[in-house]
Amino acid sequence: MSDTLIDVVTAVLMIGGALMSVAAGVGLLRFPDLLTRMHAATKPQVLGLLLFLLAMGLQMRSWVLIPVLLVCWIFMLLTVPVSAHMVGRAGYRTKHLRRDLLSMDELDEVVEKAANKKAPGRNPTERPDET
Amino acid sequence: MQDFSPGNLIFGGLIAYAVANLLYLPPVELSGRFNVLYAVPFIGRFLYKLVVASFEVFWLSLTQGPRLVNAVVAVQLRSQSDLLVTVTGHALSLIPGSLVVEVDRSTSTLYLHCLNVKTPEGAAKIRSDVRATEAWLIRIMGTPDDLALLQTEVRFDQENEEREEGIRK
Amino acid sequence: MTSAVIIVGLLLGFAALCALYRIARGPSILDRVLAIDVLLAIIGGALAVDMAVNRHLDNIVLLVGISVIGFIGSVTVARFVTDRK
């Protein structure tokens, strides 16, 4: 492959990664509540980083580098859902979401049932499997 | 970055051993099998879904913005193993458009927050999609029991389809 | 190559401004922590672009470090957030 071709592919990858960041930014601005914004926030962390790392790998032109970049991406893959789940669960249990935006909520009934079953005086937003 | 040496490797191994033995956590129960033949297409499917869903969410944020209607959908999984529920939840959370809000371990049910779901049909589509992801993961790393369960289910569906075709004829 | 870098810089700058607006605006601590996560991811992307264009590997440890900071920060805040209303 010629150098100019590699440069063009790198440029496309970098612009794609930057577009994912812009998508997250626009999502943060325009989405109405916490949980919807979380969907937008996952993108630059997963796909955006993948595109940037691919661009790096292409520009460096060395095979030794690929495991290092892969480890970097897999580390991101392992941590992003954990923090997203923690923030999302905290947001749901502390009522940070707007009910009027939900067309259906199958968790609500379960939480209600668990709260009614429990002795009075305990926190009703506790998760159902902690009883 | 590129200074690889045996001393480095041994020191890293020592640190890993110390961490694993001093900071003890309950062990993860592995199923004892890993099918690479299914793992490679699963990674391809995952990357495809990742790209498609990313652009979908981008498009939604530009066109719909504040008028989005979402849903919290409960999906019951087949497997009872901790590892499989965790991996399925992980794979789903990584794809934009679905997010695991809550997990019920006793019935292995995932509660997903999904973007742009307006009708029960949309929720049913998400449920079947999640169960397809789980089926892939069972084929890759599920326990033999789960695999047997999945195979019976597939056979049952096929027989049902054949019977329906027979009725139509 | 130079024009591509300029475009990428503009896009990343715009995205960072959006995230900063959300950090300033709130309305709750969870929104802020989420926006900080996105801002860290954008900074990490900028570091990766710098490494790709100038062909060095000095910042790759920093890239991992940034993601660790975002992870620990959001988990800690999610742990101690209290009920609204």
Side-chain angles (χ1 to χ4, degrees), chain A residues 46-73:
Chain A
V46 183
L47 187 61
L49 188 70
L50 174 68
L51 294 176
F52 283 136
L53 290 180
L54 278 178
M56 259 179 78
L58 271 182
Q59 279 294 309
M60 297 298 180
R61 294 178 181 80
S62 85
W63 293 105
V64 195
L65 191 64
I66 287 176
V68 179
L69 298 181
L70 204 63
V71 164
C72 194
W73 193 55

Side-chain angles (χ1 to χ4, degrees), chain B residues 154-165:
Chain B
V154 168
R155 211 179 305 136
F156 186 73
D157 284 352
Q158 270 176 359
E159 281 173 10
N160 261 354
E161 264 173 39
E162 280 166 17
R163 206 173 301 140
E164 271 172 24
E165 274 175 26

Side-chain angles (χ1 to χ4, degrees), chain A residues 13-78:
Chain A
L13 285 173
M14 287 196 311
I15 289 175
L19 270 181
M20 285 300 115
S21 302
V22 171
V26 174
L28 281 180
L29 277 191
R30 279 177 62 86
F31 280 154
D33 73 338
L34 175 74
L35 285 170
T36 37
R37 277 180 212 133
M38 300 205 57
H39 292 288
T42 334
K43 269 176 302 182
Q45 296 173 330
V46 183
L47 187 61
L49 188 70
L50 174 68
L51 294 176
F52 283 136
L53 290 180
L54 278 178
M56 259 179 78
L58 271 182
Q59 279 294 309
M60 297 298 180
R61 294 178 181 80
S62 85
W63 293 105
V64 195
L65 191 64
I66 287 176
V68 179
L69 298 181
L70 204 63
V71 164
C72 194
W73 193 55
I74 287 176
F75 180 78
M76 208 66 178
L77 285 192
L78 288 177

Side-chain angles (χ1 to χ4, degrees), chain A residues 11 21-22 25 28-29 34 37 41 45 52 56 59-61 65 69 72 75-76 79 82-83 86 90-91 94 96, chain C residues 4 11-12 15 18 21-22 28 30-31 37-38 45 48-49 51-52 55-57 60 67-68 71 74 78 83-84:
Chain A
S21 302
V22 171
L28 281 180
L29 277 191
L34 175 74
R37 277 180 212 133
Q45 296 173 330
F52 283 136
M56 259 179 78
Q59 279 294 309
M60 297 298 180
R61 294 178 181 80
L65 191 64
L69 298 181
C72 194
F75 180 78
M76 208 66 178
T79 56
V82 177
S83 62
M86 290 292 282
T94 53
H96 278 87
Chain C
L11 289 176
L12 285 179
C18 293
Y21 173 80
R22 189 45 79 190
S28 75
L30 286 174
D31 287 294
D37 250 14
V38 172
V49 168
M51 280 188 282
R55 294 191 191 168
H56 61 89
L57 284 173
I60 198 156
S67 65
V68 172
F71 172 68
S74 54
D83 266 29
R84 202 154 69 161

Side-chain angles (χ1 to χ4, degrees), chain B residues 65-88:
Chain B
R67 295 182 305 279
L68 267 178
V69 180
N70 317 298
V72 176
V73 185
V75 188
Q76 170 121 45
L77 298 179
R78 303 176 187 92
S79 174
Q80 290 291 320
S81 92
D82 285 335
L83 176 71
L84 215 78
V85 174
T86 313
V87 175
T88 314

Side-chain angles (χ1 to χ4, degrees), chain B residues 64-151:
Chain B
Q64 300 256 327
R67 295 182 305 279
L68 267 178
V69 180
N70 317 298
V72 176
V73 185
V75 188
Q76 170 121 45
L77 298 179
R78 303 176 187 92
S79 174
Q80 290 291 320
S81 92
D82 285 335
L83 176 71
L84 215 78
V85 174
T86 313
V87 175
T88 314
H90 241 80
L92 291 171
S93 289
L94 280 172
I95 295 169
S98 59
L99 177 83
V100 178
V101 180
E102 192 72 74
V103 185
D104 188 353
R105 273 302 299 128
S106 58
T107 57
S108 63
T109 308
L110 295 180
Y111 295 93
L112 302 170
H113 182 271
C114 302
L115 271 186
N116 199 27
V117 175
K118 294 181 177 122
T119 55
E121 286 83 56
K125 201 172 147 232
I126 280 164
R127 250 180 233 121
S128 68
D129 189 53
V130 170
R131 285 174 69 85
T133 306
E134 200 214 358
W136 272 99
L137 285 165
I138 286 178
R139 289 203 181 98
I140 294 170
M141 44 161 69
T143 55
D145 290 349
D146 288 336
L147 197 66
L149 190 74
L150 182 68
Q151 275 159 357

